[in-house]
Amino acid sequence: MKYLTLFMAICCGLVVANLYYCQPLLPLIAHDFGIREAEAGSITYITQLGYAAGLLLFVPLGDLLEKKQQIVVTTTFSVIVLLGAAFTKSFLLLQILCFLIGLFSIVPQLIIPLAASLTTDEKRGSVIGLVMGGLLIGIVSSRSLSGYIGHAFGWRQMYYTAATICFLLVLIIQRVFPASKPTYHGTYSELMRSVVYYIKTYPQLRIASLSNALSFASMSAFWVTMVLFLAAKPFEYNTVEIGLFGIIGASGALAAPLIGKRSSGAVTVVRNISLLGLLAQLLGYAAFYFTGSKIILIVLGIILLDIGHQALQISNQTLIYSLNPAARNRFNTVFMTSTFIGGAIGSAIGIFLFNLGGWSVFCLGTASLIVCNAVVNMKRK
């Protein structure tokens, strides 16, 4: 089980990376299509909206279908749309393809409930922490990898590379992943109605989903806006240099297993861990605000922001998986759909605030999301 969990973590990291390759590439994409960088930035939140749509429409099927084959088929579609993004000559078509990339990159949210179902209640937090650690490493390394490949070979090569990675994963997953039995016996429409029922019935699911959405909004706002900030004066960094900042986010990946061990699923424990995570995020934005030309404050802020988000996500995810084991995929649907809708909104807000008043206005505006999140968490009982 240990090696299978590790491979699941690797798969999550490699597939979720599809959502983030575009971020350091925005200056290159803008130059290629002859558009402003802020306009090119739209593909970041379009990809996240596609992911949210995939979570809503396809992840619940994990309770209705055999998970292994669903993962294989979904990853195969990812290969096709990634190749399409590499070939397209139209920015409008690239936007559509980025939505589809998000739509078919939901595999990590099928793997995480599968991993949770293969372990005991006592070890579930640790398993989720390990898999989430792999997912976060995929996120942070994707930015560094795409920055380097984009600078050396052009942004299209990154999408060729991503398609190749997903194709190889399809071959390996088919051989390695265990088969699973569906936990829900009914129609798709009944399945989706049950999702609405669970939202109405479980207040802890609603609070966890809203809290994680606000947390991811503050995360996404930073990672998109940071590209615009560092590409301008006084830094004027290229895509390789911007992409390297993704490595700093590995601090969150290192913290994930430790947070998982302390996440019992008890409401009071989740509330306390979440509030500590929000404090870390708020301190991170304070560091961003006072950055000026001091790049060390950006580094410190990234570490605090990523660790804070991991504290919220892992503790909340451990909680929702303990609420109703037979409906983990549907609970995960609500949780992660909310998360990526929050991320898409956060990305759009970040670009808007930066264009409105620069870096200081962006930092103050986004920090207000963290304060709102603290109010939400205080309502836990």
Side-chain angles (χ1 to χ4, degrees), residues 84-368:
F87 280 105
T88 185
K89 301 296 182 182
S90 162
F91 183 68
L92 175 60
L93 184 55
L94 179 62
Q95 290 176 310
I96 294 170
L97 287 165
C98 282
F99 182 87
L100 295 175
I101 287 170
L103 190 73
F104 295 118
S105 293
I106 58 162
V107 165
Q109 304 311 323
L110 298 173
I111 291 176
I112 293 170
L114 177 60
S117 69
L118 296 175
T119 189
T120 61
D121 291 341
E122 293 77 17
K123 294 182 179 180
R124 185 162 294 119
S126 296
V127 168
I128 292 172
L130 178 59
V131 176
M132 287 298 298
L135 184 142
L136 185 58
I137 288 173
I139 293 173
V140 299
S141 61
S142 67
R143 298 184 178 107
S144 301
L145 177 64
S146 66
Y148 171 76
I149 290 180
H151 182 73
F153 305 105
W155 69 270
R156 295 178 189 276
Q157 182 59 48
M158 186 61 253
Y159 286 98
Y160 289 127
T161 303
T164 302
I165 291 171
C166 287
F167 176 72
L168 293 174
L169 282 180
V170 168
L171 300 180
I172 300 172
I173 289 171
Q174 186 68 53
R175 294 178 60 86
V176 173
F177 271 31
S180 64
K181 293 182 178 180
T183 57
Y184 182 83
H185 303 284
T187 65
Y188 181 71
S189 61
E190 291 171 340
L191 184 74
M192 296 306 291
R193 283 197 295 272
S194 72
V195 171
V196 177
Y197 168 79
Y198 289 133
I199 294 172
K200 293 179 179 178
T201 307
Y202 289 88
Q204 291 302 327
L205 174 62
R206 296 195 299 271
I207 293 174
S209 299
L210 177 58
S211 176
N212 214 55
L214 289 168
S215 177
F216 197 58
S218 66
M219 280 276 292
S220 298
F222 167 74
W223 283 108
V224 174
T225 310
M226 179 201 73
V227 176
L228 307 179
F229 179 57
L230 294 180
K233 293 181 179 181
F235 302 104
E236 296 183 299
Y237 289 164
N238 61 35
T239 57
V240 175
E241 293 165 329
I242 293 172
L244 287 174
F245 282 86
I247 297 175
I248 302 167
S251 55
L254 295 174
L258 299 176
I259 296 167
K261 289 180 180 180
R262 288 162 176 75
S263 300
S264 65
V267 175
T268 54
V269 173
V270 173
R271 182 183 62 206
N272 293 338
I273 292 176
S274 296
L275 289 173
L276 287 173
L278 289 168
L279 176 61
Q281 288 187 327
L282 200 58
L283 291 173
Y285 266 93
F288 296 150
Y289 181 82
F290 291 105
T291 292
S293 60
K294 299 181 182 69
I295 207 66
I296 187 63
L297 291 180
I298 285 279
V299 173
L300 176 62
I302 290 173
I303 293 171
L304 290 168
L305 189 64
D306 278 19
I307 290 176
H309 178 66
Q310 285 305 299
L312 268 84
Q313 177 142 325
I314 293 172
S315 59
N316 278 313
Q317 226 161 4
T318 303
L319 169 64
I320 67 166
Y321 286 156
S322 67
L323 296 176
N324 189 334
R328 285 194 179 112
N329 274 80
R330 281 164 284 169
F331 276 50
N332 201 45
T333 292
V334 177
F335 183 75
M336 293 309 300
T337 299
S338 303
T339 295
F340 275 84
I341 289 174
I345 294 172
S347 297
I349 288 174
I351 294 172
F352 171 76
L353 291 173
F354 185 76
N355 288 333
L356 180 67
W359 187 246
S360 59
V361 170
F362 158 72
C363 290
L364 290 172
T366 311
S368 66

